[in-house]
Amino acid sequence: MISLGSASAAPGEADTGRLEVGEMRDGSPVGLPCAVINGASDGKTLYLQAASDGDELNGVGVVQRLFPRLAPSELSGQIFVVGIVNFHAFQVAQHRNPIDDTKMNRAYPGDSNGTSSERIAAATFDVAREADLIVDLHQGSTSQMIDEVRVRCGRHHRLHGDCLSLAKTFGCGYVLDQKGPDGQLARAGPDEGVPTIDPELGGCVGWDEESIRKGVRGVENVLHGYGFLDGSVETERQTRATGFDQYGAPAGGLVRFQKSLGERVSAGDVVFEVTDVFGSLKARVTADGSGIFWRSRRLPQVATGEYVCSVGTDVDSY
């Protein structure tokens, strides 16, 4: 029998429940929706979570599509799922936890006696750190972004190769291999000896079926590639970037992009223009170096110095 919160399952069974992480202001319990899938035979353990940033919904869509398709009788090993991590932010469709104004994916490994976000991080990390693999589903929030997988442990980490292999098995096509900030689950997991990836399933607030489909396929690739399900996955070479060139607006106005997401960029290429309301050109921004057009703002209006887009740099494949 395995358990997560109120969900418990014997071998060959699955169950859903709630993982209590505190109380609301009226004293009612805060319970994160969770699930356990206990395979009919022994194997590895996968920890899967979504919506640690409360407005990044595509990961929730992956869980919604994936869970009904998993038959415990066909599974080897165990899967622990927390379908919505940032409970308070999800309720109000915000990125940060409104209880403590914290970005949840900067709170790991957490503190069981700390703030709301630290307590949630600690409760979920207690489960994640015991797994063999961690997949933390994200998306680009308010920016438009290619579908990618992030490896955040840093290239000198002892698990860097294991995390890269996990990212390649997930197989979005693009990998950002760049050390992340402190407090990310994709940093904390490898520090505990667990290979961890951070798939960024597209971008912009909302519910994107194509990115959700890629996320479902990615998790299924992991399940096949690491022996949870019969069969194998044919990995494909991934396009990898190890840095970003970020571009801001040199003038206020409306942005007109000259590159599309995923398009190759060469030094000197026009990346975007800024016009006034009547279409007159105010500024033209060119690329500093070569790379891939990786991320861009969603809304066209910009003020001077405001973020516009990013180009992935130092690109190779593996």
Side-chain angles (χ1 to χ4, degrees), residues 39-40 50 55 63 66 106 196 220 232 261 278 286 292 296 308:
D55 59 351
V63 172
L66 183 68
R106 299 294 183 272
T196 305
E220 289 178 336
S232 60
L261 292 177
F278 304 103
T286 58
I292 293 175
S296 66
V308 175

Side-chain angles (χ1 to χ4, degrees), residues 30-110:
V30 173
L32 311 182
C34 62
V36 291
I37 308 168
N38 195 353
S41 57
D42 293 337
K44 296 181 183 295
T45 299
L46 170 67
Y47 174 75
L48 176 69
Q49 71 171 34
S52 70
D53 297 314
D55 59 351
E56 297 184 4
L57 303 181
N58 284 340
V60 182
V62 171
V63 172
Q64 183 204 46
R65 307 295 197 279
L66 183 68
F67 183 78
R69 293 165 60 163
L70 296 177
S73 60
E74 299 174 359
L75 187 77
S76 298
Q78 306 164 339
I79 304 174
F80 293 90
V81 185
V82 178
I84 298 170
V85 173
N86 199 337
F87 176 90
H88 299 287
F90 180 84
Q91 302 302 321
V92 292
Q94 293 180 5
H95 193 72
R96 301 165 71 93
N97 182 346
I99 302 300
D100 54 20
D101 191 32
T102 296
K103 180 176 170 66
M104 180 72 68
N105 201 30
R106 299 294 183 272
Y108 284 92

Side-chain angles (χ1 to χ4, degrees), residues 11-256:
E13 296 180 352
D15 192 25
T16 61
R18 293 275 171 169
L19 174 63
E20 289 197 14
V21 291
E23 295 182 342
M24 300 288 284
R25 289 167 175 156
D26 65 354
S28 57
V30 173
L32 311 182
C34 62
V36 291
I37 308 168
N38 195 353
S41 57
D42 293 337
K44 296 181 183 295
T45 299
L46 170 67
Y47 174 75
L48 176 69
Q49 71 171 34
S52 70
D53 297 314
D55 59 351
E56 297 184 4
L57 303 181
N58 284 340
V60 182
V62 171
V63 172
Q64 183 204 46
R65 307 295 197 279
L66 183 68
F67 183 78
R69 293 165 60 163
L70 296 177
S73 60
E74 299 174 359
L75 187 77
S76 298
Q78 306 164 339
I79 304 174
F80 293 90
V81 185
V82 178
I84 298 170
V85 173
N86 199 337
F87 176 90
H88 299 287
F90 180 84
Q91 302 302 321
V92 292
Q94 293 180 5
H95 193 72
R96 301 165 71 93
N97 182 346
I99 302 300
D100 54 20
D101 191 32
T102 296
K103 180 176 170 66
M104 180 72 68
N105 201 30
R106 299 294 183 272
Y108 284 92
D111 181 349
S112 59
N113 295 309
T115 66
S116 171
S117 294
E118 289 171 338
R119 289 170 186 254
I120 294 172
T124 52
F125 194 60
D126 280 347
V127 183
R129 73 200 313 169
E130 299 301 323
D132 296 296
L133 305 165
I134 297 172
V135 176
D136 181 18
L137 299 171
H138 287 266
Q139 73 186 81
S141 189
T142 58
S143 295
Q144 300 180 95
M145 185 187 294
I146 60 177
D147 297 288
E148 52 152 321
V149 179
R150 296 192 167 187
V151 172
R152 301 303 254 162
C153 63
R155 282 172 283 172
H156 300 294
H157 197 283
R158 61 191 173 91
L159 289 190
H160 179 246
D162 296 314
C163 293
L164 278 180
S165 295
L166 181 56
K168 186 171 185 175
T169 301
F170 193 94
C172 263
Y174 294 92
V175 172
L176 176 67
D177 181 11
Q178 184 184 58
K179 189 174 183 178
D182 289 341
Q184 289 191 325
L185 178 55
R187 282 280 307 276
D191 286 347
E192 290 290 319
V194 187
T196 305
I197 56 171
D198 175 351
E200 294 274 357
L201 301 173
C204 288
V205 174
W207 193 258
D208 174 39
E209 290 293 341
E210 178 62 19
S211 293
I212 291 171
R213 184 189 65 78
K214 289 181 180 180
V216 171
R217 184 183 65 191
V219 177
E220 289 178 336
N221 285 345
V222 170
L223 295 178
H224 287 290
Y226 287 86
F228 293 89
L229 294 173
D230 287 341
S232 60
V233 55
E234 291 188 14
T235 58
E236 300 177 354
R237 294 187 70 83
Q238 302 293 293
T239 299
R240 174 174 61 169
T242 59
F244 280 134
D245 284 339
Q246 295 192 352
Y247 296 90
L254 301 174
V255 172
R256 185 163 59 200

Side-chain angles (χ1 to χ4, degrees), residues 248-298:
L254 301 174
V255 172
R256 185 163 59 200
F257 288 109
Q258 301 300 308
K259 295 291 182 179
S260 301
L261 292 177
E263 188 175 350
R264 289 276 178 171
V265 175
S266 297
D269 286 354
V270 177
V271 180
F272 67 90
E273 298 172 336
V274 180
T275 74
D276 66 15
V277 174
F278 304 103
S280 296
L281 182 67
K282 299 183 69 177
R284 180 175 286 125
V285 174
T286 58
D288 296 329
S290 62
I292 293 175
F293 194 71
W294 204 274
R295 181 173 185 164
S296 66
R297 66 182 290 109
R298 175 173 60 96

